[in-house]
Each structure stands twice: as C-alpha cells, then as structure tokens.
Amino acid sequence: MATRGSRSEKVKRIFQQFDVNRDGGLNREEMSALVVAVNPRVKFSEEQINAILDEVFRTYSEFIDGEKGLTYEGLLRTYDDGAGDVDRDFEALGLELKVEDNAGTSIAVEEASSSSIADERVMEPHKKQRTAAWAASPNHGIVFDDTWKLVDDLEILIKRLKSKQTKDGKVKNDNSDVYSEGWSRELGPSTEITDKRVNWEETGHDYAVFVKELGVLRSRADGARSREEAFDGHMAIGRVLYDQHLFKEALVSFKRACELQPADVRPHFRAGNCLYVLGRHSESKEEFLLALEAAEAGGSQWAYLLPQIHVNLGIALEGQGMVISACEHYREAAILCPTHFRALKLLGSALFGVGEYKAAVKALEEAIYMKSDYADAHCDLASALHGMGDDDNAIKEFQRAIDLKPGHVDALYNLGGLYMDMGRYQRASEMYTRVLSVWPNHWRAQLNKAVALLGAGETEEAKKALKEALKMTNRVELHDAVAHLKQLQKKKLKGNGGGNGEEAFIIVEPSKFKTVGEKTTLRADLSTALDIRSFQRITRLNRCDVDQIKKEIDETDVPMSYSGGVPEKSIRKASLEEILRRLLKFLKPETFIGAVKAINQKVLSILDESESGRLDLGMFFAVLAPVCGGSAEKRKRIAYEALLWRPVNEGSNQIRKTDAQRYIKLLRAIYIPSQGASEILEIHGEMDASWVSLAEFTAMFDDPDWGFGIMSTLLKLELGDRNRHGNHVCATCRYPIIGSRFKEIKSHFSLCSQCYSEGKVPPTSRLEEYRFKEYANESEAMKDKCMWFGIHSKGSSTPATS
C-alpha cells in the first residue's frame, strides 16, 4: 500500500510532467493532456473532454489559481476524493519515483512523535508527514492545534491497547477485505481498500480501560473553546479510530460531530461508512441520505463529494437488497464524475443482478476501458455476456479476471458453471478444485465438483467429492445427490442417444401421452404450471399472503400521471422495489435480489413494454395476485380489486371489459408465454364499453382456453410438490420422486413431474402410446393397489379409461 509520502510524491511527479509552462498550475490544455494520457484506451470526444474539465474546474474551484489553472494541492485532492487511481496513473505514464534523502528522517520523526505528545513548535513542521492522508487534506484535515494533541494522545492509547492484545494473542487479522470493491474508505485513495480488517477483542479488561481513557479524550474535545474546535476534535478522533478499525468507537465520535454541526456533510458520510462496515445497512443508508441532503443544500461547497456519497449510498442499498434503487445512485455518480470507474463497475454489476444484461455489459465495458486491470469488472462482464448467450467471450473475460487475480473465487466458480453448461465436465471440475484451494469449505463448489466428475464419467471420484460435501453441510439436496449417484451406478447411463451405451431417455410427442382418471394432469398443463411454480420458488411470492397486496392498495398513495392521454397510477421501478421489499420483508437481502431479478425479467419486462422505466401499479398488483399465497377465490378477488383501483375504473364498483381483457392477456403473456405473447396485440382497437362484475371477471379468469385456468394445476403443485414417495425414483433422471408420481399403467415405470412434463420415458419401454396415472402421495397409490387386488380377487378385470 502506498504511504501518504509516496502518494503525494507520485502526484507531484504527475503534476510536474504536465505543468509544461512551469507556472505552478495545470490550465485546461494541460489538464486535457493529463486526462487523455492516463486513459489511453478511452477515445474521448471534444465534448466529453470539455465536460470533464468543466466539472473538475467547478468542483475544485478553491484550488484554481487564476489563469494558471489547477494547483498541485488541487490535483492531490482529486486523487484523495477517489476521482482517479494515482498508482495506476503513475504506472500508465511510465514515471519513476525519486526517493528523497531525508526519507529516513521523516520515519524517525513519525515514530518519535507517535510515542509521546510532541511540543507544538516541534510538531508543526512534520504534521503532514506523520499523519494519515486525511489529516493534511484541506477542508477534511485537522484545523486546530489542540486537535493534534488529542490525536497524539489517542495514538498512544491505541498503541498501548494493540501491544497488550497482541501480547495476549487477542488481535487478529481477518483474511477478507473490509470493503467491497468500490467501497470508498472515507475519501482516501483506492489503494487503501486493500487494508485487512483488524478484529479487536472488545470484552476484556484492557479494552474497557481503553474506552474509559477514550472518554476522557472526548470530554477534552467537548471542552474546546468553540463549537468548531469541538467538532474538529471529534472528527479527528473518529477518523483515527476508523483507520484502526475501531468502528464502534469511531461511530460514537462521528455521531457527536453530527450533533455539533448537523448541516455538515462529512460526519454523516463517515458515520454511514462506519454503520455499513458494522453491518447496519439500514442505518447506514439513512446517514448517507442525510449526507446527500446536506450536500445538495450546501451548493458547490460539497460538489466534489457528491459522487462518492451516491456510490456509498448505492452500496448501502445493495446491502439491503435494493439493487434497482442502487442503480439510480451509481448512474448519478457516473454522470457527476464521468471518470469514476468504480461507479460504472458497480452500476454494471447491479444491472446484471436484476437481469438487465445488455445495459450491464455497456457499463462494465466502460469501467474496463478506464481501468483495464479491474478483475471484478472482467468477472461481472463475463457473467453478463453468459446471460446474453455469448459464451465464447464470457470464457475469455472469466479467464482475464483469473489471470489478473488467480484466486478470484467468483470467476473460478462461475467459469466452472459455464463449462458445466457446455458439457465440458473435466474443465468444470478443475475450476471447482481451484475454488476449493482458496475456500476449502465452499460446499456448493464441492457438490458441483462431484456433479462435474459424474458428467466426466469419473464415478468413484464423484463419490469421494460428495462425501466431502456431506462433511461440510447436511442439506437435503446433498442426500438427494447421493441417492442419484447410487441409482446411476446401477444403470450406466451415457445421455440421450449418446455413444454405444444405453440411452438415458427418449422424448415422446405429446399426442402419445394419455391420462387415466380425471385427476391426472395433462402434460402441457403441468409444464406451464411447473414454470410458474419455479417462479414462485425463486420469488417466494407464494409465502406472501395476497391480503398484503390489498393492504398496499389501501395504503399506497400514488399521484396520477397521464401516459398518452390515459390517466394511470404509475411509479418508477425503484419505488416499485420498495413496495416489493415490504411484501417480501421476510427475505434476506441476497434472496430478495434474486426475487427482484426474476420479477424484473418475467413481469416488468412485459408491463413496461415502452421501456420508460415507469409501471402501472394497479396492473402490477393484479398480475402478482394469482401467484401469491391464499385461496384461489381470494387471489381472484384481490386481482379484481387491484384493477378496480386503477383510474380508468375508479369511482365504479365494476371494471371495464376492455380492462379485464387486457389484464387476462397480459397474465397469459407473462405466465404462459408460449400462448399469450401474440394475444396482447389483438385487443388494440377494441372499444367494448361494457362493464364486468366480479362474477363475470371470475368466469373470464377461469376459462381454460382464453383465461388463466392453469391456476387449478398450480394450486395442486403448491399443496403437494414437496411430497416424497418412499423409495420410488424417476425412471429417466433417476432422482427420488418429489411431488406427484406419474405411473405408466402398462409398463409400470414411474416418472417425476419434470420428466413427465418434458415427455421423457426410459428407452426400454417403447410403446405406441403411454397411459399415465398421477399419484399425489403414496397413500393414494396404496389405496389404488388395494382396490386393484380387491377387484382381481373376484375375477374381474379393470375397464379401460382414456
């Protein structure tokens, strides 16, 4: 990590390189040359260059020296604020750092001054050399001399605590980075992000003594001659504590500073940083919002800090799972500071997180143009490319991320998954092995390694890998995988029609699948219902009672807007995400992100057909109601009430027929895309002015051909798709059957719901037609068996059904 001395020296060398006329400032022409030189891969237009220069000269106006331009101190500030990476720029320009003769002297002064309270007359010349980068920075450093005394005494206390805890073996370094990529450590340089977190032992006597002595320092700060000096003292104490990873204590100081100067941006910003690191993401967000409000109210004074506030606010929102909202702040940061490559990377990653792959690729490519060695950006770009189906380029980007950072767990794991999708099982196994070398307890990597080895035909090695996975976790999917492996050992299957071995399955056309009994689900209906059920599982919407939607309808106040002259209650996606968070409040942030992605891709992409970023809230509620929890009748009623809430029906106790038709066809387009997509266009131009009651709406909804009659099948899946059937395994995939079991009456083999819906049957049972009976559980099967024996014991035969 670069020290403050080496950083400032690097900035000085960069400044001297471009201060062509040696007047002590960088004018617009010289700054333009600097911007272009440190971004060799970016082709700037004249307009872009002018926009960047306008922003720099406006933001750092206090460092502009007339016609000379930006001073050295101003350039140093731009790097301190995270607008650029000084190490990267220094390397890109091919400059060399000159070591000064008095370097050893300054280190000696640093050691001496930190071990005792230095005399002010001695301390003054060396302040900037012995402190962290922030202390010497104008506006953000120490203003009052007495504050330096507080800092000196605090450093002594921390050294004493560290010495005692190290001696007792209580201070430990965490192997993980404190900050996620792009998380700004205060306003410091990007190199500081790589610091390792120190875990302090906070329960012992030594720590209690430290906190007590720290309280004395805080009292000294409170007893300063003025409110400004007290503020300066608490801010300095907070920043020293923060730098030493004493985040809880730092937070106390920043909170006190907020009380002293509520309109100042800095204490709110830094309190937000502390809260984020402590995992208190909701409180962190609130502090950043206060910082943002203060910065916007303060005019140009805080303009330079706005991009970083937006970035950190976005990260805090992501910590809560609010990725769409985070995107808005990353975009704003990139607009305010076009060279902020971290903002672009975070924007691209967030867009990928909600399934907007095309936009994600664009943002990530821009970030990589600005910082070509950005391993995380290459990894996320690869994932986005894979999402778009461009697997060849995805592999190249994953490999680039691994080349830059050989232990990049996400790149290795995701590349393994990509190789699995492509059927390159040996390569996939190698990737998972590398993940495990970095993260030995990564049970998913261990499980996937077993599956990859199985695909590569290495059954014994797969068995060993599964046993290792079982040592790491006791999850039910691992036990199912073990059972699956045992079944495959009994039948050496090589895939659908692959090689000289036996085929795994054959696919039968739908017309050859017949059902026995009225309760047996049709193959096509089951396929559609399974797809909707999969959506429910990802989003957990079936765990959200549909009454919650009714509550949102009653309590949400949405202003009227007019789109194409038609009144509607429309909201932005970010606001819709907040409503979803209330509906799915039981989800953890990472699970909620997956839910939003699925809803964005399946529902919002259809509802926002014009890509305006705004959605009809009433229609959204109505579309969501059928897949939420609750009885079928309640779901239909809430859907009807959601449509009734829309402005076109407001004031009436019935809805327009055209509105009902529009809804049904949107519902089919979203959940039955193979049948509904083309139907949306059919109602344009229809001007049926009649009205529809709830009973009439229900009849339209239940229509098996033109409505959403699939709901009855969906309800059956919701009730029984966790049922197990003893030792029965699917005849084609060999997995234990969970959910309904479909038994072929003549050949007596059984299929799971998935294989039945896909028309897969074992190759040993080739028939002209297949007749299936569905069993929801084994008690039904046993009852059927008993009836069969009862009939046959009397010498009767079973009548044929179709």
Side-chain angles (χ1 to χ4, degrees), residues 689-708:
S690 60
W691 297 82
V692 174
S693 66
L694 175 58
E696 292 168 323
F697 171 79
T698 301
M700 291 174 66
F701 188 100
D702 290 337
D703 188 295
D705 297 318
W706 300 104
F708 199 65

Side-chain angles (χ1 to χ4, degrees), residues 48-118:
Q48 287 175 318
I49 288 288
N50 285 330
I52 292 169
L53 296 183
D54 288 345
E55 182 67 28
V56 170
F57 278 70
R58 181 174 61 252
T59 302
Y60 300 95
S61 58
E62 62 188 292
F63 297 100
I64 303 300
D65 184 5
E67 294 184 0
K68 292 180 181 179
L70 187 71
T71 62
Y72 158 70
E73 289 77 14
L75 184 62
L76 182 61
R77 167 61 72 79
T78 66
Y79 283 111
D80 280 349
D81 289 353
D85 185 330
V86 65
D87 296 319
R88 179 184 70 89
D89 291 354
F90 193 80
E91 187 178 339
L93 295 170
L95 300 176
E96 293 182 5
L97 193 62
K98 296 177 181 178
V99 181
E100 301 293 338
D101 294 337
N102 64 350
T105 309
S106 66
I107 294 171
V109 170
E110 179 175 343
E111 291 296 318
S113 64
S114 60
S115 62
S116 64
I117 301 177

Side-chain angles (χ1 to χ4, degrees), residues 338-408:
T339 57
H340 203 314
F341 54 83
R342 289 192 198 90
L344 287 164
K345 184 269 171 191
L346 289 164
L347 173 60
S349 302
L351 288 166
F352 168 73
V354 294
E356 297 185 10
Y357 302 132
K358 190 175 178 180
V361 166
K362 184 179 178 182
L364 290 163
E365 284 179 341
E366 285 185 36
I368 289 169
Y369 284 144
M370 294 183 192
K371 185 174 171 61
S372 60
D373 60 349
Y374 207 160
D376 281 5
H378 283 285
C379 177
D380 287 354
L381 175 58
S383 296
L385 289 167
H386 176 49
M388 293 175 67
D390 188 357
D391 288 347
D392 290 339
N393 282 318
I395 290 173
K396 291 176 185 176
E397 290 298 329
F398 276 134
Q399 198 57 60
R400 176 65 175 146
I402 295 165
D403 291 343
L404 290 166
K405 188 178 178 182
H408 200 298

